[in-house]
Amino acid sequence: MKTMFYITLLAGILISPFAVAGEDVKMDPDLRSKAKRASDRGLHFLRQTQAEDGSWSRSVGVTALALRAFLESHRKYNEGDGAFITRPVRFLLKHVKPDGSISQSLQNVNYNTATALTALQATHNPAYAEIIGNGQKFLKGLQLDDGEGYDRSHKYYGGIGYGGDERPDMSNQYLALEALKATALDPDDPVWTKALLFVSRSQNRSESNDQGWAGNDGGFTYMPGFSPYGGTASYGSMTHAGLMSLLFAGVDKNDPRIQAAYKWIRANYTLDDHPGTNSKQGLFYYYTAFAKSMYAFGEPVIADLQGVKHNWRKDLATRLLSLQAEDGSWVNKWSKRWWEGVKELTTARSVIALNLVVR
Amino acid sequence: MAFAPRTEPRGASVTPLNGVAYALCAGAAVFASAYVAGAALPGGSAKAVQTACAAGAVLAGYVLWPPRSRASGTGYASQAAWLICVPVAGGFAIIIATPASAFTPAAPGLVVAVGVMLFFMEGLTALLTGLLRDRSSAVLAVLTLICFAAAAPLWIGPWVEYFAGTDWFADLVVAISPLTYLAVMAEYDYLRDHWFYARAPYGAYRFGYPGQLVSSAAYIAFGIAFRIAAVFTWRGNSAAAPLSPTGGEDCS
């Protein structure tokens, strides 16, 4: 009996850390169902604000994000569910250009095309294969390389920008790479290798960044040598964008570049504001990038540098629930920058993040 | 800044020979300033260089606006010739300053925009000359106004954030900049290019550029309106002291 007691005690001691870890990984069922309800309320708001032509905010980009929010929700909506899905798809198709781009304007052509391709892919409808293929070619054409007279040593080489000018940045880069990854572009396509050059040159890691300004905190700037938050400072949304870009390009999770970015995320873990910016500008963009990159990275618990463990799903769900308005929408009440004063856009981004939280 | 002479002594004439010489010299100046404006842009994209070339051509073409005289009878003809020659010189600068691979179909539209901007600015100058009774002061005023308007996204931009729910305000600030017109004609998203992006928050806001046709029509309409108003202003002033709206030229 005594032996049994000691065996049980020893087993308990050995198993308990794993049991605690298991609790960390799991999300409280009550919070999970609240997150699903919040997602439903957000989608309800989007249905209420959808225009007659199926669009949101008269924008291909916003429409594509809202459509994606529906298609990736826990309700698993698809084109068979009705006009609220088929009309935005038609709106996107209406803006397909002969050059393969999908945009209603000459601005933000990369953003619009990339988000539209990701949304069309999420329909899983083979009828859009040709449009998606042409869109891939267009996005690849935006990449700065020898074709535009850029040498490999140029800091812009391999980068993708807005499409209305030539300067690339990490935000445009990650959205384009996300679209190419989502639409299953050949992993051996040269676009990935070139993209990695630009991505590495945007990281504050001197061992893998050949630019003289590179620091060593592992985070990412907006573009090589420039951050809108001063100098070449790393900040949250771009570090998540950088981490995702590395993963999309096929870099191993244990690669030092990825580990350095993850270390920055651990060192600056917060959902109260946008880390590295000292502000709440681009807060919801940050939340979406945070959810996407942490989902792609595959670690349910983040231990910060003080050793405190954070279940990112739980933290993000709690934060987004606290920010949702009565009508089901989200809006950045602190800053209009990055279009976060547009309810439809901010709501779509929040629902996309929640979809990953409950997946 | 040294301005070219605006008026000639009464009775002097512009002969075909010195007219050609002036056009050649001025064309070279327009070309040089446009080229320098484009080539000096650090790390600029092809569209940025093209737009800078066009801006250089507009400024040089305006500052070197040709002298006219009553005796020569070349007033409107020389203005028309100038409105053709300057954009052509700017067009050559655009071609030379940008690599062949980066030459876009938008470039011809940009050449037209140079002429339209000159027409607008000269119309405004005519009106202000009538009001201020001095062409040099009018030229200085127009250049100051143009510079302030061109930089509007830089100095008004930070206030846009406080106009919650008013996208029209952001659009208005963009529309009043003459640089926007040139950029729109070049199909160039200049407010998200690095230089502006690093200095103004505008690239982070929701705004729309005006359309090419709407912008062109607006500048031409304002140019015509200014000239009509200038004639009335000049007629009102002529009793007190003879002065033409275009600087020493008798338009009657």
Side-chain angles (χ1 to χ4, degrees), chain A residues 218-230:
Chain A
F220 279 78
T221 60
Y222 181 66
M223 60 196 291
F226 173 72
S227 164
Y229 297 101

Side-chain angles (χ1 to χ4, degrees), chain B:
Chain B
M1 185 183 290
F3 294 118
R6 296 271 168 259
T7 57
E8 291 180 330
R10 295 257 173 211
S13 64
V14 178
T15 65
L17 191 63
N18 65 26
V20 168
Y22 181 84
L24 283 175
C25 291
V30 169
F31 177 82
S33 62
Y35 185 79
V36 167
L41 205 69
S45 65
K47 285 177 181 174
V49 171
Q50 290 173 353
T51 306
C53 279
V58 169
L59 287 177
Y62 177 68
V63 170
L64 298 170
W65 193 258
R68 297 160 296 268
S69 80
R70 182 198 305 256
S72 69
T74 56
Y76 288 124
S78 68
Q79 288 187 48
W82 197 241
L83 287 175
I84 293 169
C85 290
V86 171
V88 168
F92 277 117
I94 288 169
I95 291 169
I96 292 172
T98 52
S101 60
F103 197 76
T104 64
L110 196 52
V111 169
V112 172
V114 171
V116 171
M117 272 306 296
L118 271 177
F119 178 75
F120 167 82
M121 288 168 70
E122 194 48 37
L124 182 57
T125 309
L127 175 60
L128 291 180
T129 301
L131 293 172
L132 301 172
R133 301 181 60 76
D134 172 44
R135 184 175 163 89
S136 297
S137 303
V139 166
L140 202 59
V142 168
L143 285 173
T144 307
L145 279 173
I146 289 291
C147 287
F148 267 98
L154 291 175
W155 59 272
I156 305 180
W159 298 96
V160 169
E161 182 142 17
Y162 301 103
F163 287 80
T166 50
D167 289 339
W168 62 266
F169 182 74
D171 291 355
L172 181 69
V173 173
V174 173
I176 62 171
S177 170
L179 210 49
T180 295
Y181 175 52
L182 297 177
V184 160
M185 295 303 278
E187 296 178 359
Y188 166 45
D189 186 1
Y190 79 107
L191 288 170
R192 291 191 180 87
D193 208 342
H194 184 62
W195 194 91
F196 275 93
Y197 198 85
R199 285 161 183 80
Y202 232 89
Y205 297 130
R206 186 174 194 185
F207 67 90
Y209 291 112
Q212 292 182 336
L213 278 177
V214 171
S215 302
S216 300
Y219 275 106
I220 290 169
F222 274 110
I224 292 170
F226 288 148
R227 279 160 199 273
I228 292 169
V231 170
F232 284 107
T233 309
W234 169 67
R235 280 182 182 162
N237 288 338
S238 61
L243 176 70
S244 82
T246 50
E249 178 191 9
D250 187 351
C251 292
S252 57

Side-chain angles (χ1 to χ4, degrees), chain A residues 27-39:
Chain A
M27 196 172 152
D28 172 30
D30 184 45
L31 181 61
R32 189 180 166 81
S33 60
K34 278 183 184 168
K36 283 183 176 178
R37 277 205 302 277
S39 167

Side-chain angles (χ1 to χ4, degrees), chain A residues 119-131:
Chain A
L120 288 176
Q121 181 70 24
T123 64
H124 304 295
N125 187 339
Y128 310 135
E130 190 181 343
I131 289 166

Side-chain angles (χ1 to χ4, degrees), chain A residues 240 286-296 312 316 352-354 356-357:
Chain A
H240 285 283
Y286 164 63
Y287 291 155
T288 316
F290 173 92
K292 286 182 194 172
S293 82
M294 287 299 95
Y295 182 82
W312 67 266
L316 185 56
I352 288 170
L354 282 176
L356 293 168
V357 162

Side-chain angles (χ1 to χ4, degrees), chain A residues 121-331:
Chain A
Q121 181 70 24
T123 64
H124 304 295
N125 187 339
Y128 310 135
E130 190 181 343
I131 289 166
I132 288 172
N134 292 336
Q136 284 181 331
K137 281 182 200 152
F138 176 79
L139 292 183
K140 285 165 63 180
L142 290 180
Q143 188 173 43
L144 299 181
D145 53 17
D146 314 79
E148 287 81 22
Y150 284 86
D151 187 78
R152 287 179 72 86
S153 61
H154 196 285
K155 64 178 181 179
Y156 287 173
Y157 190 91
I160 296 172
Y162 280 101
D165 51 61
E166 284 185 6
R167 65 100 178 139
D169 61 75
M170 277 306 301
S171 178
N172 277 291
Q173 180 88 346
Y174 117 74
L175 281 169
L177 296 184
E178 181 187 40
L180 294 174
K181 178 73 177 175
T183 56
L185 181 74
D186 182 358
D188 294 326
D189 194 291
V191 79
W192 301 113
T193 319
K194 292 178 200 168
L196 279 178
L197 260 180
F198 181 78
V199 172
S200 296
R201 282 176 175 148
S202 302
Q203 187 173 21
N204 269 309
R205 184 173 183 274
S206 59
E207 282 178 73
S208 48
N209 184 347
D210 59 11
Q211 305 290 299
W213 55 266
N216 280 301
D217 64 14
F220 279 78
T221 60
Y222 181 66
M223 60 196 291
F226 173 72
S227 164
Y229 297 101
T232 55
S234 305
Y235 61 104
S237 55
M238 287 308 103
T239 301
H240 285 283
L243 177 60
M244 267 186 283
S245 300
L246 291 167
L247 291 169
F248 293 151
V251 175
D252 187 82
K253 193 176 160 179
N254 295 314
D255 184 280
R257 289 169 293 181
I258 289 189
Q259 286 302 316
Y262 187 56
K263 189 180 173 190
W264 189 94
I265 291 165
R266 290 173 58 211
N268 295 277
Y269 185 89
T270 182
L271 292 168
D272 294 336
D273 55 21
H274 187 173
T277 69
N278 287 324
S279 74
K280 288 185 168 58
Q281 291 174 4
L283 193 62
F284 289 84
Y285 181 102
Y286 164 63
Y287 291 155
T288 316
F290 173 92
K292 286 182 194 172
S293 82
M294 287 299 95
Y295 182 82
F297 191 64
E299 294 290 339
V301 174
I302 303 171
D304 65 28
L305 294 191
Q306 283 74 47
V308 180
K309 290 179 179 175
H310 303 274
N311 181 326
W312 67 266
R313 284 185 167 87
K314 182 183 152 197
D315 291 352
L316 185 56
T318 307
R319 180 67 169 147
L320 285 173
L321 284 169
S322 73
L323 294 174
Q324 191 170 28
E326 276 298 308
D327 62 0
S329 70
W330 281 269
V331 70

